[in-house]
Amino acid sequence: MAKPSSADGRTRSSVQIFIVVGLCCFFYILGAWQRSGFGKGDSIALEITKTNTECNIVPNLSFDSHHGGEVNEFDEADSKPKVFEPCAARYTDYTPCQDQKRAMTFPRENMVYRERHCPPEEEKLQCMIPAPKGYVTPFPWPKSRDYVPYANAPYKSLTVEKAIQNWIQYEGNVFKFPGGGTQFPQGADKYIDQIASVIPITNGTVRTALDTGCGVASWGAYLWSRNVIAMSFAPRDNHEAQVQFALERGVPAIVGVLGSIKLPYPSRAFDMAHCSRCLIPWGANNGIYMMEVDRVLRPGGYWVLSGPPINWKANYKSWLRPKEELEEEQRKIEETAKQLCWEKRSEKAEMAIWQKVVDSESCQRRKDDSSVEFCESSDADDVWYKKMEACITPTPKVTGGNLKPFPSRLYAIPPRIASGLVPGVSSETYQDDNKKWKKHVKAYKKTNRLLDSGRYRNIMDMNAGLGSFAAAIHSSKLWVMNVVPTIAEANTLGVIYERGLIGIYHDWYGFIICRSYFVYVSS
């Protein structure tokens, strides 16, 4: 990938290239999708695959201008493309830097072994990840929310382990997702109604949400109909393919865990954070995990915790845990919440909801607590593979005004830009960027008429800049994972979240998960 040269992380040339995550070739994967039902796009891909299953990739692709300088003699040998052979079938579900055998060699403490651990150079795969045998095009949204073809993620263990909790059911050649979860076996909609009785999630105030330990991401799947987009994550563990299930359903999700490393999101990113029996020890390690949630939670944002230890007095017997242990766990959570200046808004049944204060400097109890430690880092967004710290991230003074409700915030001037916190990006350049990408997306839709048809549910912008591509293509039928490379000259991910979009930092050493996104590359 060419290194961005403009303030928004892009060069001025616009290249429209669609590929599939990993070393997978788009046409190679589409050729494996046997029953598309979507017309020309897939049938063309299938024909190309029949004649070119090796998926030749030109390794020296460059986005730089070649109009200047002298014309050199053409060397035919240098023009031969490098061929990547398909990987062995056992690598169907390989996720770079998330190899299970390698993970077991790392410490169990603080979930370190579940974190991302990349192999050395000599162990990197140099082949194309194959699709599962019989892989078919996923159902279009919204049907995909409830059904996934069995061949796309052929794992049945959750249908047994979570049978009474309505996570997932196996019916013939498809999986059905009734919308249940461990903490809401009667369905996510009723559970969200309970949250909505406290948190205003219907008026655009809450747009972005973070779901820790998401399972198959049914909470995020059902929030979508309420115009809330959730970034969900879960580890690679004994719950086979839970993140793959989420992506096959068309729900934003990544492989990840709250362990020892900071989350790959900017500070003040989310309007709401959520844990539904996610098994994270919130009171442990001096409240370090709650402090990390506080870092990514916007002032005025909400934290929802359901399940143990909430209302432990009524439930400790059914939870099969000592009441003293649960009491101490909740005490530590309440203590950390006070240090963070979170106000408890509700505690009913097994759910508690806190709200982060808008102006933390006015929090008197924080001033009176001598044990409170503030993080010393001058950049709260410098998080890529940085260790979590048991300290509170200060909230900077932002003069750009409050966020507008969604969808108004999609094109409003983001506070980070209005405050001059993004070097080289002014309100004028932001507006120019929006105009440019509206124009580009209009052209893309003429070229690929399936873009807003429901055929593509997940799109990844691998060099997202200010998020203007995602804003221009915004639709109820799709969502965009905006990636800001760690080498980008300007850190713009905070701007993207202020627009009501989602994204992630990445160094592109290894991809998040294969065959799960339709990917747009811009430079």
Side-chain angles (χ1 to χ4, degrees):
M1 183 186 298
K3 185 171 181 178
S5 60
S6 63
D8 67 352
R10 304 171 186 263
T11 61
R12 286 300 172 187
S13 59
S14 301
V15 181
Q16 302 143 39
I17 301 174
F18 295 90
I19 65 173
V20 171
V21 176
L23 295 177
C24 311
C25 165
F26 176 54
F27 288 133
Y28 176 76
I29 291 299
L30 280 181
W33 296 345
Q34 296 177 344
R35 300 187 300 274
S36 72
F38 286 96
K40 292 183 179 179
D42 292 339
S43 61
I44 292 172
L46 183 59
E47 289 304 314
I48 292 177
T49 303
K50 288 178 180 177
T51 58
N52 186 21
T53 56
E54 292 180 336
C55 264
N56 298 338
I57 298 175
V58 180
N60 59 348
L61 181 64
S62 173
F63 300 143
D64 295 333
S65 172
H66 298 284
H67 298 299
E70 298 180 2
V71 178
N72 296 322
E73 184 177 346
F74 179 72
D75 188 344
E76 187 175 349
D78 293 339
S79 69
K80 292 182 179 179
K82 183 175 181 179
V83 175
F84 289 98
E85 299 292 340
C87 302
R90 68 178 182 276
Y91 289 108
T92 289
D93 289 313
Y94 177 78
T95 303
C97 308
Q98 293 283 347
D99 181 79
Q100 288 288 74
K101 290 183 179 180
R102 181 177 171 79
M104 300 307 290
T105 65
F106 289 90
R108 304 292 195 276
E109 185 181 6
N110 296 331
M111 296 292 284
V112 170
Y113 75 117
R114 293 296 186 199
E115 293 178 330
R116 180 176 179 260
H117 300 288
C118 296
E121 188 70 27
E122 63 272 14
E123 293 181 19
K124 290 183 185 178
L125 289 185
Q126 298 294 326
C127 54
M128 297 185 298
I129 305 298
K133 184 178 179 180
Y135 191 93
V136 298
T137 301
F139 298 113
W141 185 267
K143 185 177 180 179
S144 67
R145 186 193 72 177
D146 302 328
Y147 296 96
V148 167
Y150 170 76
N152 292 12
Y155 304 102
K156 294 183 180 179
S157 65
L158 283 177
T159 65
V160 177
E161 184 178 346
K162 302 294 182 181
I164 64 172
Q165 297 168 7
N166 283 333
W167 277 35
I168 180 174
Q169 299 167 357
Y170 177 64
E171 297 182 355
N173 63 346
V174 300
F175 287 113
K176 180 180 179 180
F177 296 84
T182 304
Q183 201 59 35
F184 42 94
Q186 301 306 310
D189 257 339
K190 291 183 179 179
Y191 177 80
I192 293 171
D193 285 340
Q194 184 180 350
I195 295 173
S197 68
V198 180
I199 300 176
I201 63 173
T202 59
N203 62 4
T205 301
V206 172
R207 164 61 180 176
T208 55
L210 179 68
D211 192 12
T212 57
C214 66
V216 294
S218 287
W219 186 71
Y222 279 80
L223 274 174
W224 182 264
S225 64
R226 307 187 192 216
N227 216 15
V228 176
I229 185 167
M231 171 67 81
S232 303
F233 68 85
R236 290 290 295 263
D237 57 16
N238 58 311
H239 291 170
E240 285 181 305
Q242 53 188 342
V243 168
Q244 188 66 53
F245 279 132
L247 290 170
E248 291 289 339
R249 296 175 71 186
V251 183
I254 65 166
V255 175
V257 66
L258 257 178
S260 66
I261 304 297
K262 292 182 179 181
L263 295 171
Y265 314 115
S267 61
R268 313 186 311 282
F270 296 96
D271 300 313
M272 175 170 59
H274 171 259
C275 162
S276 172
R277 208 162 187 165
C278 60
L279 304 181
I280 295 172
W282 295 109
N285 297 336
N286 297 316
I288 193 170
Y289 302 122
M290 290 176 65
M291 291 175 182
E292 179 62 1
V293 169
D294 180 75
R295 181 186 69 81
V296 300
L297 199 61
R298 186 165 293 129
Y302 298 88
W303 187 54
V304 181
L305 175 61
S306 66
I310 304 302
N311 200 8
W312 60 269
K313 292 179 182 179
N315 297 294
Y316 74 91
K317 291 182 179 179
S318 62
W319 287 337
L320 302 178
R321 290 177 59 188
K323 61 180 180 179
E324 295 80 12
E325 177 184 303
L326 288 162
E327 181 181 18
E328 177 62 11
E329 186 177 341
Q330 179 149 7
R331 185 194 68 78
K332 288 182 178 179
I333 289 173
E334 301 282 5
E335 184 178 90
T336 302
K338 288 180 180 178
Q339 289 183 334
L340 295 171
C341 282
W342 292 358
E343 301 286 352
K344 182 179 280 188
R345 297 303 183 194
S346 174
E347 183 171 344
K348 295 180 181 179
E350 296 177 16
M351 180 188 293
I353 299 175
W354 286 265
Q355 184 177 21
K356 181 177 177 178
V357 296
V358 174
D359 182 11
S360 59
E361 290 190 2
S362 65
C363 180
Q364 187 60 44
R365 66 171 177 262
R366 180 183 288 182
K367 296 177 182 177
D368 297 339
D369 190 344
S370 59
S371 65
V372 172
E373 290 189 29
F374 290 92
C375 302
E376 297 180 356
S377 173
S378 59
D379 185 359
D381 295 348
D382 181 19
V383 297
W384 186 252
Y385 272 74
K386 299 295 175 66
K387 292 283 187 180
M388 270 193 283
E389 303 173 89
C391 57
I392 298 173
T393 302
T395 301
K397 289 283 187 180
V398 179
T399 59
N402 297 325
L403 283 177
K404 296 181 181 297
F406 194 84
S408 298
R409 73 169 72 165
L410 192 60
Y411 281 105
I413 305 296
R416 276 173 165 88
I417 291 178
S419 300
L421 297 180
V422 185
V425 180
S426 65
S427 298
E428 291 73 22
T429 56
Y430 168 76
Q431 291 170 338
D432 289 343
D433 195 65
N434 283 322
K435 292 177 183 177
K436 178 180 70 175
W437 287 102
K438 284 180 180 179
K439 181 179 178 181
H440 289 338
V441 168
K442 185 177 181 180
Y444 299 163
K445 288 182 177 180
K446 290 180 180 179
T447 303
N448 185 345
R449 298 185 184 277
L450 298 176
L451 271 182
D452 197 23
S453 67
R455 168 65 179 81
Y456 304 117
R457 172 65 177 168
N458 306 351
I459 298 179
M460 178 180 287
D461 187 347
M462 298 173 68
N463 184 21
L466 298 173
S468 298
F469 166 75
I473 204 171
H474 173 69
S475 167
S476 61
K477 298 176 183 177
L478 57 84
W479 56 270
V480 177
M481 178 70 82
N482 293 282
V483 180
V484 173
T486 56
I487 62 170
E489 292 182 353
N491 181 358
T492 55
L493 193 54
V495 169
I496 289 169
Y497 273 94
E498 287 180 343
R499 302 186 71 168
L501 305 168
I502 60 169
I504 192 172
Y505 295 113
H506 211 285
D507 65 356
W508 292 120
Y509 177 92
F511 293 90
I512 297 170
I513 203 161
C514 190
R515 77 172 188 277
S516 301
Y517 291 93
F518 185 58
V519 183
Y520 168 76
V521 184
S522 61
S523 78

